[in-house]
Amino acid sequence: MEWLVHFYALHSKLIDQVGINAIFALSLSITLQAGHLALANAAFGGIAAYVASLLSIARGWPLSVTTLIGAAAAALVGAAVGWPVTRLRGVYLAIATIGFGEIALIVENNLSITGGAEGLSQIPNQTTTWKIYLVLAVLAFIFWRLRRTRAGWAIAAVREDEHAAASFGIDPTRVKFWTFVASAAIAGVAGSLYAHENFFIAPGDWGFSRMVDILVYCVIGGAASPWGAMLGAGIISLLPEVFRFLHDYRDIVNGVVLLAVVIFAPQGLAGLWARDRRGRKATPPGAAEAQGS
Amino acid sequence: MRNITRVLIATAALGGTLAAATGAGLAASHPDLKWTAIFDSTGPAGAYGTSQKNALELAAADIDAGKIESGGQKISIDIQDSATSPAQVINIMQSAFGNGTSLIVGPTLSSEAFKADPLAVKANVPVMGVSNTANGITEMGPCVFRNSLSEAQIVPDVIEAAKKSWHVKTAAIIYGDDDQFTKADYTIFNADLPKAGVKVVDVETFHKGDVDFKAQLTKIKEAKPDVIVYGALYAEGAKLLDQARQVGLHGHEIGGNGFNSPQIIALAGKAADGVIVGAAWYAGAETNGNAAFVKNYTAKYSKSPDQFAAQAYAGAQIAAAAVKKSHPADAAGMCSALKQVGSVQTVIGPFKFASTRDADAHGFVVQIKNGTFSKFE
Amino acid sequence: MFDQQLANGIFLGAVYALFAVGYTLIFGVLDILNLAHSAIFMASSFVALALVRHGVPFWAAFLAATMFGGALSVVLDRVAFAPLRARGVGGGALGPLISSIAFGIIVVSVMRGIFGPDEIGYPSGSVPTANLHLGHASFTAMDLSVLLVSLVMMILLSLLLKATPLGRAIRAVAENTKAASLLGINVEHTIGLTFLIAGALGAAAGILIGAQFNAVGILMGQRIELKGLAVIILGGMGSIPGAVLGGFLLGLLEVFSVAYLSSSYRDAIAFAVMFLILIVRPSGLLGKRAGRTA
């Protein structure tokens, strides 16, 4: 027991980081499960983080309130962006979301209310470990149950084959739109939690390299299930600490590990396990695009 | 035995016991200290973090060899790479607290400091920033120190020097608006130039990583300023200087803090001649131990040190001097020691902490001439 | 000022065009976001610089490093993309994107180990640096070289694609891999050659741009990579003339937005244009492929 307390004292921040990264990973996994590659989660996290932080600083509202408002703001922007963007296919959708992310970054750098490049400091430190993991547990539970609902079937159908889904009366664009908005909202929750964990945020926290990190969580762990996304977030967050003894060679090892997982376990590590259990290959998210539509 | 012999033996025994007791007592009251340095030696800030890492390795060796005095107390410095990731800065720090570290040196970026230093404040471990220049750093806690000069402390001297020698009446500023370091150049020059009677006739911006500045420079040329102020780090700075010549700008120029790097000269060559820079340090500065520092650093790392290296080395000198003066035993002791350190001769000049724990020191106004930085007359 | 800004825009455009030409080839053929292209761009630039520092004349180093880039690109395909193709994970899927990122991380890391994190420049005198003038505009010899090379590349590549068997094979594979193989085309071979060409183009861009701005650094590819996306979207993915046209248009747009609006939004305009094109006309100016599902 004492060992646990001591371990927590030494590593509580890392544990918190894993949790927040897992929520980001979940936000991406929902769009991946619907079969589209949307790359604006980091940007949505940033939007919510700024909104929530400014409210906390100016009004002192509790974390749950500011996070909800932040996530709602992210969802609203997500809806505005998603409306035109989810009509695009494959790579074009991905690029459009990257473009949006870059624009959001530049806007954040230039507005005085966000503090610009100097960032926003003295954000109240309201995030705690149990709050993060509570949110994570609730989200994971929702995702897990989602599979058996009509919405869940619709999402899976759109991923497998958009045309077939349409012939069943499912509107692929609507599914893509709503998963996009949902992913923006969830990313927003993660963003707000991050801001209230770290005292300070700057536009650079929400750029393309952060998006790549989130992408990597889903790839390593596997986006097909919430467990995969969370597993990936956990492994990648821990990797720099585990490999610290490698000093400057950490990057190479990171790259090699990433490459190996992508090539030998394209459904992620959770997918490997899923495949063994069901004895057949789970369809990787996004493979529908591969048929050269 | 004769009486005198007994007395002699007794005295010797007493003396020996006293010496042993004092030695043991000394060792007990001067335990080994552990410091943790957290720098971004990889990632986007890798160029700066590597300089800092190199300098601190040199400092650690110099402390061991006694070249930097610590009053005989052994100090081991653990230098960790945070890879330009605030998360890693935080994790390294948290682990360091568990290992009994009594001082954190770093982190490299102010944005990282804002996220991580509050943890050190909570754990009562002092932090010595050696490259944090933003506003609000030392306000984070009573044991947060820094030895890095902010632009606000250097710029007025630079403007005065430019006015005196060049009689400038108008200025244009071009700066990176997505980096706190370069944005500070704008904020401060833009405020201080008018105070000195110099009108700002044009302001242009760019982003980190940009390679082409000709559009902005052409616009500046149209505004015909007496002097151009560059708020840039060395990579963009070198290209700015090059391209300024290409579009036909040959007038007076001032570089911000980021220009104080041998890389500017290496990359821009002759285009850099004549630029004046406000700096916390320069390689030719005749400060205590600087010549040896430059020589040893160059010999060990095959390149000359830059300001990041000098301030990191000076940070170690200051902390070691604090140890020598107060013999701290732990983190709390280290904090008090730093508060009481008084004036220290460092490679960046005579140094002391202001009451706010910021640097109370003067910068230099230097000019690039014939490939080196020299004092601006 | 207008003359100079026009020249600025054209020469900036040439830089973008040069980068985009190689970039769009892989996109067009394999429909994948190859985020390792910037790493090849960067690594080849270092190779050329290293050769010049050892006394090799610039244009000879250029040729050698271009071949290096082509070879590295083939390695990229073998290591990161081919195994995924073999498993049937193709096109728009996540896998190739991530494996290209992973390959890029490895290359950047290796280069940092060899060359360090700083930006380094060419020894003076090794690269043509003459300042030229045309009317009121000034530019450098390297600016002109980049412009000429990008135009030549566009012409050669277009000819290759239109008039040679290899070009026909590439276009067939770009249309439909299965049909191409049914037509007797060796798909893997063709893809490999496509990577070779794209890599050589990326290398050429990296070497010239590194010399033009006299700065070779491990991060040099990352900024231009995102702009490169805007260029190929504007021009139309997969279209070589589109990449060149898009490059020049973007260069001019950026420069004139600085000249007549504000420099703060220079990058925002580039991405806003990209975003708008995707919404309104995803196939870009000269592209043929439809980008919409609804």
Side-chain angles (χ1 to χ4, degrees):
Chain A
M1 198 56 215
E2 210 197 87
W3 174 85
L4 207 62
V5 172
H6 183 68
F7 181 81
Y8 182 75
L10 275 185
H11 301 290
S12 63
K13 297 300 263 185
L14 185 56
I15 294 171
D16 288 352
Q17 284 160 16
V18 168
I20 293 175
N21 290 343
I23 300 175
F24 269 118
L26 279 180
S27 78
L28 183 62
S29 75
I30 193 168
T31 47
L32 288 176
Q33 288 197 44
H36 60 269
L37 186 56
L39 297 177
N41 302 54
F44 288 124
I47 292 172
Y50 274 106
V51 169
S53 306
L54 286 167
L55 285 170
S56 295
I57 294 173
R59 304 272 173 162
W61 288 340
L63 183 64
S64 42
V65 175
T66 53
T67 302
L68 268 159
I69 297 179
L76 261 155
V77 178
V81 170
W83 187 253
V85 155
T86 47
R87 287 163 210 286
L88 300 171
R89 77 163 174 92
V91 162
Y92 294 97
L93 195 156
I95 296 175
T97 53
I98 294 176
F100 164 71
E102 288 299 304
I103 295 173
L105 198 63
I106 293 170
V107 169
E108 282 159 13
N109 246 328
N110 281 295
L111 287 179
S112 59
I113 193 174
T114 56
E118 284 104 337
L120 207 56
S121 57
Q122 299 184 332
I123 303 172
N125 180 218
Q126 296 164 318
T127 304
T128 59
T129 313
W130 70 262
K131 286 182 198 169
I132 295 171
Y133 282 90
L134 179 63
V135 170
L136 191 59
V138 167
L139 284 171
F141 180 74
I142 295 175
F143 275 50
W144 182 53
R145 296 303 269 166
L146 190 69
R147 299 168 135 201
R148 295 184 201 249
T149 64
R150 274 198 62 206
W153 289 129
I155 291 173
V158 165
R159 179 182 75 235
E160 294 292 327
D161 190 329
E162 278 189 33
H163 297 302
S167 68
F168 271 97
I170 298 171
D171 181 353
T173 306
R174 255 187 69 171
V175 168
K176 281 160 53 169
F177 175 77
W178 285 109
T179 50
F180 189 79
V181 172
S183 89
I186 298 170
V189 170
S192 173
L193 288 172
Y194 177 91
H196 292 89
E197 162 91 0
N198 286 309
F199 309 93
F200 172 88
I201 54 174
D205 291 331
W206 315 105
F208 190 61
S209 58
R210 178 78 185 120
M211 186 64 234
V212 170
D213 287 345
I214 300 172
L215 205 47
V216 170
Y217 305 153
C218 285
V219 167
I220 291 279
S225 70
W227 323 119
M230 298 186 327
L231 179 68
I235 292 176
I236 298 297
S237 309
L238 295 172
L239 229 46
E241 301 312 316
V242 166
F243 283 144
R244 195 160 280 288
F245 64 93
L246 287 170
H247 299 292
D248 285 352
Y249 299 104
R250 279 189 298 167
D251 263 1
I252 295 188
V253 172
N254 276 348
V256 170
V257 166
L258 194 53
L259 199 56
V261 169
V262 169
I263 295 189
F264 298 112
Q267 292 86 276
L269 296 173
L272 273 181
W273 185 65
R275 174 167 46 171
D276 286 335
R277 272 186 76 207
R278 289 192 219 122
R280 59 168 177 84
K281 235 173 166 179
T283 317
E289 249 81 79
Q291 310 311 316
S293 41
Chain B
M1 212 182 286
R2 291 175 62 178
N3 273 353
I4 185 82
T5 319
R6 278 199 192 131
V7 171
L8 280 170
I9 293 174
T11 318
L14 187 61
T17 316
L18 266 171
T22 322
L26 265 173
S29 62
H30 301 314
D32 294 351
L33 288 176
K34 196 155 164 210
W35 295 346
T36 305
I38 309 179
F39 297 132
D40 297 325
S41 42
T42 58
Y48 315 110
T50 306
S51 285
Q52 298 175 307
K53 173 180 149 204
N54 292 347
L56 220 47
E57 279 174 0
L58 194 60
D62 286 350
I63 291 176
D64 280 343
K67 280 196 241 172
I68 298 178
E69 293 180 12
S70 61
Q73 204 161 341
K74 192 162 176 301
I75 303 171
S76 69
I77 306 181
D78 181 28
I79 306 174
Q80 289 288 343
D81 171 27
S82 42
T84 320
S85 157
Q88 290 192 35
V89 175
I90 290 169
N91 294 330
I92 295 168
M93 249 201 214
Q94 213 180 25
S95 302
F97 300 154
N99 293 335
T101 221
S102 52
L103 177 69
I104 304 278
V105 182
T108 303
L109 299 176
S110 296
S111 53
E112 291 164 351
F114 283 123
K115 291 182 183 162
D117 287 4
L119 295 172
V121 170
K122 196 153 158 232
N124 293 316
V125 175
V127 181
M128 170 82 97
V130 295
S131 53
N132 304 143
T133 55
N135 285 338
I137 294 277
T138 50
E139 282 88 323
M140 281 195 271
C143 287
V144 179
F145 299 82
R146 64 170 156 184
N147 74 338
S148 33
L149 284 180
S150 68
E151 282 293 52
Q153 293 170 289
I154 304 175
V155 165
D157 292 340
V158 178
I159 296 179
E160 213 192 283
K163 268 190 78 182
K164 220 172 84 185
S165 302
W166 294 335
H167 312 292
V168 297
K169 302 236 171 32
T170 57
I173 307 175
I174 175 168
Y175 71 99
D177 70 358
D178 61 345
D179 185 314
Q180 165 266 324
F181 204 70
T182 53
K183 191 164 172 193
D185 282 330
Y186 162 70
T187 316
I188 293 164
F189 271 104
N190 199 37
D192 287 357
L193 281 165
K195 280 194 215 151
V198 180
K199 183 155 177 269
V200 176
V201 296
D202 190 28
V203 176
E204 300 294 330
T205 61
F206 59 85
H207 290 312
K208 231 180 338 206
D210 278 356
V211 296
D212 178 86
F213 307 94
K214 293 212 264 215
Q216 290 95 319
L217 289 167
T218 305
K219 226 172 138 195
I220 288 180
K221 190 174 169 203
E222 282 295 297
K224 297 199 202 326
D226 291 337
V227 68
I228 304 176
V229 176
Y230 297 109
L233 294 160
Y234 82 83
E236 292 78 31
K239 297 181 187 89
L240 277 164
L241 290 173
D242 239 348
Q243 290 168 27
R245 305 296 157 264
Q246 288 171 20
V247 302
L249 283 163
H250 297 284
H252 297 304
E253 292 161 321
I254 297 177
N257 220 335
F259 264 52
N260 188 15
S261 161
Q263 321 274 48
I264 282 266
I265 300 176
L267 289 171
K270 283 212 351 242
D273 269 349
V275 178
I276 66 172
V277 182
W281 166 92
Y282 68 108
E286 282 156 9
T287 49
N288 189 311
N290 198 29
F293 164 66
V294 173
K295 185 159 149 261
N296 295 338
Y297 186 103
T298 312
K300 192 165 175 188
Y301 300 108
S302 312
K303 58 179 181 179
S304 0
D306 58 15
Q307 186 170 287
F308 285 91
Q311 285 182 321
Y313 190 86
Q317 288 178 303
I318 296 164
V323 169
K324 179 175 173 201
K325 187 166 181 186
S326 310
H327 304 297
D330 55 15
M334 193 69 227
C335 181
S336 322
L338 282 167
K339 286 194 179 144
Q340 298 159 7
V341 75
S343 180
V344 185
Q345 292 294 336
T346 67
V347 295
I348 60 177
F351 180 91
K352 63 181 203 287
F353 287 116
S355 57
T356 54
R357 297 176 307 285
D358 289 308
D360 179 4
H362 257 286
F364 303 89
V365 181
V366 294
Q367 186 177 38
I368 301 178
K369 260 204 304 227
N370 299 325
T372 50
F373 290 94
S374 47
K375 200 128 201 260
F376 183 54
E377 84 300 322
Chain C
M1 159 158 114
F2 179 82
D3 288 1
Q4 179 66 57
Q5 294 288 33
L6 184 63
N8 294 342
I10 291 174
F11 290 112
L12 177 64
V15 170
Y16 288 152
L18 188 57
F19 181 80
V21 162
Y23 209 18
T24 204
L25 192 56
I26 301 289
F27 260 119
V29 172
L30 291 171
D31 215 14
I32 45 180
L33 200 45
N34 173 17
L35 291 182
H37 192 74
S38 58
I40 296 175
F41 170 89
M42 175 270 292
S44 315
S45 197
F46 268 113
V47 167
L49 179 60
L51 287 171
V52 168
R53 284 187 161 207
H54 280 92
V56 176
F58 178 70
W59 293 106
F62 173 79
L63 279 165
T66 302
M67 291 195 285
F68 166 80
L72 186 60
S73 185
V74 173
V75 169
L76 164 67
D77 177 49
R78 291 284 107 210
V79 164
F81 298 125
L84 294 176
R85 282 199 298 276
R87 284 157 198 266
V89 181
L94 194 47
L97 172 64
I98 300 292
S99 63
S100 73
I101 291 173
F103 189 86
I105 292 175
I106 297 172
V107 170
V108 168
S109 211
V110 168
M111 285 295 149
R112 191 189 60 240
I114 302 175
F115 294 99
D118 297 322
E119 284 200 4
I120 43 186
Y122 277 83
S124 56
S126 56
V127 164
T129 50
N131 236 14
L132 307 166
H133 299 278
L134 190 66
H136 292 293
S138 1
F139 47 91
T140 63
M142 277 313 295
D143 285 339
L144 198 57
S145 310
V146 169
L147 177 62
L148 291 172
V149 171
S150 69
L151 291 171
V152 166
M153 291 290 185
M154 171 186 81
I155 294 170
L156 284 178
L157 199 56
S158 300
L159 277 173
L160 175 86
L161 286 176
K162 283 218 171 73
T164 65
L166 173 61
R168 279 193 285 275
I170 293 177
R171 281 186 291 135
V173 168
E175 254 330 294
N176 189 317
T177 328
K178 280 208 182 96
S181 75
L182 285 175
L183 285 170
I185 294 172
N186 183 335
V187 172
E188 278 301 306
H189 202 74
T190 307
I191 292 179
L193 281 170
T194 309
F195 270 97
L196 181 71
I197 298 170
L201 289 168
I207 302 162
L208 287 174
I209 292 168
Q212 179 186 22
F213 294 102
N214 196 30
V216 179
I218 53 177
L219 299 175
M220 69 189 285
Q222 300 189 348
R223 194 72 213 154
I224 200 171
E225 177 171 64
L226 290 176
K227 285 283 179 71
L229 270 182
V231 170
I232 61 182
I233 292 294
L234 180 56
M237 235 154 61
S239 160
I240 306 295
V244 174
L245 181 63
F248 281 109
L249 275 175
L250 189 66
L252 285 163
L253 191 62
E254 276 194 20
V255 166
F256 282 114
S257 74
V258 169
Y260 296 109
L261 292 171
S262 153
S263 45
S264 315
Y265 288 98
R266 171 174 171 162
D267 283 357
I269 287 185
F271 293 115
V273 164
M274 176 176 98
F275 193 76
L276 264 145
I277 295 271
L278 281 169
I279 311 276
V280 167
R281 191 193 153 101
S283 51
L285 294 168
L286 299 179
K288 309 165 256 108
R289 307 176 61 150
R292 297 227 193 145
T293 50

